[in-house]
Amino acid sequence: MPKATVVQLKDMVDAETIAKSGLRLSLDKIRDFQVRGDDVFLITYPKSGTTWMKEIVPFILNGGNIDEIKDTPADVRVPYLEFALSSDDDERVKQIQSNFNVPKGFSLDDLKPPRTICTHLRREFLPRGIEEKRAKVIYVARNPKDIAVSTYYFSKMLMEKGLGCRSSEPYGDFNDLLHDFLEAEYRTQTVVYDGSKWHEHVLEWWNRRHEGNVLFLKYEDMLQDIKASLRQISEFLSAELSTSAVEKISNHCSFKTMKKNRVALKGDYCEKILGGKSEETSPFVRKGGAGGWKNYFTVAQNEMFDRHYREWMKDSDLEMTFEL
Ligand code: A3P
């Protein structure tokens, strides 16, 4: 096993600590980013279905014309805000961008309007212009138990390769990750860079779901009825979709099809960085579904998680779906 490269980090709870993190995200640049009124921001807590939405939204915006953009790297079609604006300042971010097939010198200004930009950052670190210009925000929330399992796989895999480690102690069993998930203090810096706990991230947008520029979606609702979700998204984006386009996109974005799609799997990244065949190693299209957590949580872990969950959600009417 390669030796882990340890990056010294403190708890990441505010802008200053993000700035001190291994990824030197350019927070001022991000806050000051010139948002356009027709920009679309795709916001998620990591492992909530970002890759899925990165595949869906561009095809909705181009009317289901799959061939036109199917080979464009996912991170060029829908770039990460925090990486696109920080890559000149940080060698590690530059490396991540290059692994995701983002060309050198790529700029968000290179995108054709409407630009679709994704991010895991929590609201307070986002461009001021989103609020000022009322740019569209699509937020996807997934139940936190499945997120914890998904994060476990991703983090463990990265640590085994010595990537993005904040600690020299690799993740052992699921319990290690579960604890870190509840505290949002991960051993890998790639998971979430701003110290947000799941509920802090999700509730910020749940509480704004009635604002005209916000569409709040649940991953599990998409699993249940993808065609209804595609129509909901296209209506929100004022992008007309024919019945045949809905059909085409739902096929193209199905788990089964995405599992064979090198662009969605980020095949080059997987083979270069994680090793193995991308359909087996890709953490971006891994197992999917709702309720897989039941194979990982013990009864005691589940009870402990539920206690945290009840406390997190005690003032909220958001109800998540934990199994289908
Ligand atoms: P699992 O690890 O539980 O399988 P993100 O893109 O935010 O990192 O989220 C990754 C998760 O979304 C993974 O979850 C992945 O399998 C799931 N996912 C990706 N494409 C999907 C699809 N077409 N349908 C359902 N889930 C999908």
Side-chain angles (χ1 to χ4, degrees):
M1 187 173 82
K3 202 165 169 287
T5 318
V6 180
V7 179
Q8 293 295 333
L9 288 178
K10 299 230 182 297
D11 293 345
M12 294 197 284
V13 288
D14 57 24
E16 201 186 329
T17 49
I18 294 184
K20 278 192 242 156
S21 81
L23 295 176
R24 286 198 311 279
L25 303 182
S26 308
L27 288 175
D28 290 340
K29 245 203 259 177
I30 295 171
R31 287 291 280 159
D32 294 341
F33 173 63
Q34 291 301 306
V35 173
R36 300 180 194 151
D38 61 354
D39 284 342
V40 179
F41 287 86
L42 174 51
I43 307 179
T44 52
Y45 196 82
K47 313 318 287 173
S48 301
T50 328
T51 310
W52 195 8
M53 288 299 286
K54 276 160 78 103
E55 206 60 30
I56 290 174
V57 173
F59 291 112
I60 290 185
L61 285 171
N62 89 344
N65 192 344
I66 288 177
D67 288 339
E68 206 175 86
I69 51 171
K70 72 174 177 11
D71 298 325
T72 308
D75 291 85
V76 173
R77 261 192 239 140
V78 184
Y80 273 100
L81 176 74
E82 48 274 49
F83 294 160
L85 294 182
S86 304
S87 52
D88 292 344
D89 305 337
D90 186 336
E91 285 304 318
R92 275 218 56 220
V93 174
K94 249 191 233 174
Q95 193 58 51
I96 293 172
Q97 290 283 77
S98 144
N99 290 337
F100 287 165
N101 294 335
V102 177
K104 253 195 198 143
F106 171 80
S107 151
L108 294 173
D109 290 330
D110 299 338
L111 296 176
K112 272 205 310 206
R115 302 183 294 185
T116 309
I117 301 167
C118 69
T119 180
H120 292 317
L121 287 175
R122 74 168 179 238
R123 203 173 152 272
E124 70 186 272
F125 298 120
L126 294 178
R128 291 180 187 85
I130 297 183
E131 196 80 36
E132 290 160 9
K133 301 267 175 66
R134 313 295 292 157
K136 290 196 162 97
V137 169
I138 302 179
Y139 189 89
V140 184
R142 185 184 190 190
N143 86 74
K145 293 182 185 176
D146 281 322
I147 293 183
V149 173
S150 186
T151 305
Y152 174 61
Y153 267 100
F154 193 21
S155 301
K156 200 166 148 52
M157 191 174 252
L158 288 172
M159 291 199 88
E160 280 166 7
K161 302 286 169 197
L163 293 164
C165 304
R166 299 174 62 195
S167 154
S168 56
E169 217 180 306
Y171 279 118
D173 66 17
F174 177 63
N175 198 51
D176 292 344
L177 185 284
L178 189 59
H179 169 82
D180 287 1
F181 180 82
L182 293 169
E183 298 305 323
E185 283 183 9
Y186 300 99
R187 295 183 195 175
T188 46
Q189 62 188 204
T190 38
V191 175
V192 64
Y193 339 104
D194 63 17
S196 295
K197 292 182 182 167
W198 173 83
H199 68 293
E200 293 166 339
H201 207 278
V202 169
L203 292 180
E204 277 177 339
W205 291 102
W206 173 250
N207 295 338
R208 285 176 177 75
R209 70 194 179 282
H210 295 309
E211 295 180 12
N213 63 324
V214 176
L215 176 66
F216 187 98
L217 297 173
K218 293 183 197 164
Y219 171 93
E220 294 78 11
D221 290 346
M222 291 170 55
L223 283 179
Q224 263 188 314
D225 191 345
I226 187 62
K227 287 185 189 165
S229 299
L230 293 177
R231 286 195 202 92
Q232 201 183 353
I233 299 166
S234 67
E235 198 175 307
F236 175 72
L237 296 175
S238 308
E240 262 182 50
L241 269 194
S242 64
T243 312
S244 74
V246 170
E247 195 64 42
K248 259 205 261 175
I249 300 173
S250 68
N251 288 334
H252 178 77
C253 298
S254 72
F255 187 84
K256 212 168 131 204
T257 311
M258 278 180 61
K259 197 69 172 163
K260 291 186 245 152
N261 174 349
R262 274 190 74 80
V263 173
L265 293 167
K266 303 199 196 191
D268 291 350
Y269 165 84
C270 294
E271 279 155 28
K272 203 158 69 186
I273 306 296
L274 303 175
K277 287 188 187 150
S278 56
E279 55 274 30
E280 282 155 23
T281 59
S282 179
F284 307 105
V285 189
R286 190 185 64 87
K287 201 155 194 311
W293 61 268
K294 290 206 253 164
N295 299 320
Y296 294 84
F297 283 62
T298 62
V299 172
Q301 285 168 342
N302 195 34
E303 285 171 2
M304 190 259 297
F305 194 100
D306 285 346
R307 277 197 299 280
H308 278 80
Y309 186 79
R310 275 195 297 275
E311 183 57 28
W312 288 348
M313 307 300 271
K314 68 177 187 306
D315 298 322
S316 177
D317 54 354
L318 171 61
E319 285 181 15
M320 297 304 297
T321 305
F322 287 88
E323 57 183 294
L324 286 174

